[in-house]
Amino acid sequence: MPGSTPSSCLPQWPNDVGIIALEVYFPSQFVDQTELEEFDGVSAGKYTIGLGQARMGFCSDREDINSLCLTVVQRLMEKNGLGFDSIGRLEVGTETIIDKSKSVKTVLMQLFEASGNTDVEGIDTTNACYGGTAALFNAVNWVESSSWDGRYALVVAGDIAVYASGSARPTGGAGAVAMLVGPDAPLALDRGLRGTHMTHAYDFYKPDMVSEYPVVDGKQSIECYLSALDRCYSVYRSKIHAQWQRAGVEKSFSLEDFSFLAFHSPYCKLVQKSLARLMLNDFLVSSPSSQTGPFADLEAFRDIKLADTYFDRDVEKAFMKASAELFEKKTKSSLLISNQNGNMYTPSVYGCLASLIATHSPQQLAGQRVGLFSYGSGLAATLYSISVTQDHTPGSPLDKLVSSLCDLKARLDSRRKVSPNVFSENMKLREETHHLASYTPHGSVEELFPGTWYLTRVDDKHRREYARCANIDDLPEARQTMSNTSTEHIVGHATKLPCVRASAVSPGEVVSNGSH
């Protein structure tokens, strides 16, 4: 094309651009879904079996989207011993909006003040649960572009998922994920392998600017999710086939070519159905089979059309049964956070990726291809893949990544269980105080995890101020305890440690997202 640069003149792409480090944050309290079933007066198993959910994390009025993201970013930087001057791009994916103009990213820039680094590209990206994926793609594209200056990119996905009382409420949750992006990554995004589908739909949206609650068409939302999955998988298969053909490889792509699959998880049962859906897609493009192999006993469904099967119970049941072994092998381990904490919206699929990493050894992950499906209502969706490095030696980037997430289950188990009544009261308080000015939060600071940022007040101009709980290492009593006790014991009792203010800029100072 006119003006294009000859390929021989193009600069060398950085190798293996992707996720180098990953950190997850979730609230320190949860409600048990079995107890919530009884509290809501629904049949036993409706939430735990029907949705596949065991626990749901939630925030008190001490936490908002800014504090979640402040916490996860600071934890990632501290865990990896990184200075804030090493970051050249920072982008936030979120749909939890508390200001129609000011981005969460600008609030996070307070963490950079001591380093003097203000040369940081990126702002917020919003479209329901897809914003984190868009931010990740933007970060990867930046590293692979002429704009890259050699520094890392930082991607943050965070949300507070809350619903009005009713059937949707048990599908809530809250949390944030931060990802460090750069070259030579242990989790490299496969270049050119993204199957994307975007179209207009009103399946889930938030038109009320003074409410945290969405408007949800549950049946349409499921159909949109599954139809987007069908379309994205079809596009992904076409692209990988084209790559293989250029490399002289003649074979058909199927689920067997993914070592693991992680999905955006509104609730765990939908993920299980989604894997079955992909098997249905494989079946419909396969040759008629004999009575052996993965499609044995499924020939009765040979002539069905995908668009007619979104709510076909016979098809769903047959393919969930046929894909049960694949689910156990490739996807179930990714649902640890989703099952125990609920839907985090934009971080959901990356919480699933973190769960997958946390439940496998470096040796089990090395050299594997992981498929990820990201969905955001309205709608935007992509199925893409990540290749895990072959290097799993001690001290390697992959080994460090796995080690950084090895305490994930212990952290989930260390949370405090509260009654459904207390949970309901918290939801009512959030509903009544959302977007209030001149507001001082009521929630207890003592019950937050060490190192958590929290909201101290909202002034009469809606400017929000935050402080940070001390880290375990900052507390004399914790250091004494750690000399006599295992780290796991400390993690399991983290919520009982005192919480004192400590700012990233200057210890004891309260910071604000408004002008000083």
Side-chain angles (χ1 to χ4, degrees), residues 23 180 205 275 344 377 404:
E23 177 62 17
L180 189 72
Y205 53 106
L275 188 71
M344 300 186 293
S377 293
S404 73

Side-chain angles (χ1 to χ4, degrees), residues 464-485:
R464 292 173 176 247
E465 298 177 355
Y466 301 89
R468 191 189 186 204
C469 298
N471 271 320
I472 289 178
D473 292 344
D474 298 330
L475 300 168
E477 60 269 46
R479 286 196 294 270
Q480 178 62 38
T481 305
M482 288 180 72
S483 67
N484 302 318
T485 317

Side-chain angles (χ1 to χ4, degrees), residues 92-410:
V92 178
T94 185
E95 63 170 274
T96 305
I97 308 299
I98 55 176
D99 190 288
K100 292 183 289 184
S101 174
K102 183 173 174 60
S103 66
V104 176
K105 184 268 179 74
T106 59
V107 178
L108 296 180
M109 289 306 298
Q110 294 170 105
L111 299 175
F112 289 73
E113 289 176 6
S115 71
N117 179 21
T118 60
D119 179 20
V120 184
E121 295 187 9
I123 47 173
D124 289 6
T125 300
T126 301
N127 186 85
C129 302
Y130 188 81
T133 294
L136 176 61
F137 290 171
N138 289 342
V140 170
N141 293 344
W142 177 73
V143 173
E144 292 185 343
S145 77
S146 61
S147 298
W148 186 47
D149 61 7
R151 292 182 293 169
Y152 295 116
L154 191 56
V155 174
V156 186
D159 276 303
I160 298 172
V162 289
Y163 295 85
S165 58
S167 59
R169 176 159 280 185
T171 63
V177 169
M179 294 173 279
L180 189 72
V181 174
D184 303 316
L187 306 180
L189 272 69
D190 291 331
R191 191 171 288 139
L193 292 180
R194 300 179 192 169
T196 292
H197 176 64
M198 298 198 182
T199 189
H200 169 61
Y202 275 120
D203 57 324
F204 168 112
Y205 53 106
K206 295 179 178 177
D208 187 346
M209 296 297 177
V210 297
S211 172
E212 290 189 288
Y213 299 146
V215 176
V216 185
D217 184 329
K219 185 175 181 180
Q220 184 185 7
S221 185
I222 293 172
E223 181 173 340
C224 285
Y225 182 103
L226 295 177
S227 64
L229 178 62
D230 290 341
R231 182 59 183 163
C232 289
Y233 188 47
S234 175
V235 175
Y236 181 93
R237 280 190 314 205
S238 295
K239 289 186 177 181
I240 199 167
H241 283 158
Q243 282 194 5
W244 284 350
Q245 286 175 349
R246 287 194 295 271
V249 177
E250 292 295 335
K251 61 173 290 189
S252 296
F253 183 88
S254 73
L255 286 180
E256 293 296 337
D257 293 295
F258 285 130
S259 304
F260 303 101
L261 286 116
F263 299 78
H264 168 60
S265 179
Y267 51 92
C268 293
K269 186 54 70 72
L270 183 59
V271 169
Q272 189 172 0
K273 293 177 180 179
S274 296
L275 188 71
R277 186 83 192 170
L278 293 184
M279 176 173 270
L280 170 62
N281 276 260
D282 279 355
F283 167 73
L284 292 178
V285 297
S286 68
S287 301
S289 67
S290 64
Q291 292 303 306
T292 61
F295 304 136
D297 303 322
L298 295 175
E299 286 303 316
F301 303 104
R302 176 62 63 183
D303 297 326
I304 61 173
K305 292 181 172 57
L306 279 173
D308 298 332
T309 60
Y310 298 124
F311 303 102
D312 188 319
R313 293 298 180 88
D314 292 335
V315 171
E316 180 182 284
K317 183 179 179 180
F319 282 87
M320 284 185 70
K321 180 180 178 181
S323 63
E325 185 177 342
L326 279 179
F327 175 74
E328 291 287 331
K329 178 182 176 183
K330 297 178 183 288
T331 299
K332 186 176 180 179
S333 62
S334 73
L335 294 176
L336 173 63
I337 292 178
S338 181
N339 173 264
Q340 294 290 306
N341 186 56
N343 184 6
M344 300 186 293
Y345 286 168
T346 54
S348 173
V349 68
Y350 302 103
C352 290
L353 178 61
S355 297
L356 183 67
I357 295 167
T359 51
H360 289 84
S361 69
Q363 293 84 352
Q364 291 172 321
L365 295 169
Q368 306 303 317
R369 170 175 275 143
V370 182
L372 295 100
F373 176 66
S374 178
Y375 176 83
S377 293
L379 60 82
T382 298
L383 191 150
Y384 66 103
S385 56
I386 286 174
S387 288
V388 184
T389 179
Q390 295 279 1
D391 184 6
H392 57 80
T393 56
S396 65
L398 178 60
D399 182 62
K400 291 177 180 178
L401 177 61
V402 173
S403 296
S404 73
L405 294 169
C406 67
D407 67 340
L408 195 55
K409 188 176 186 304

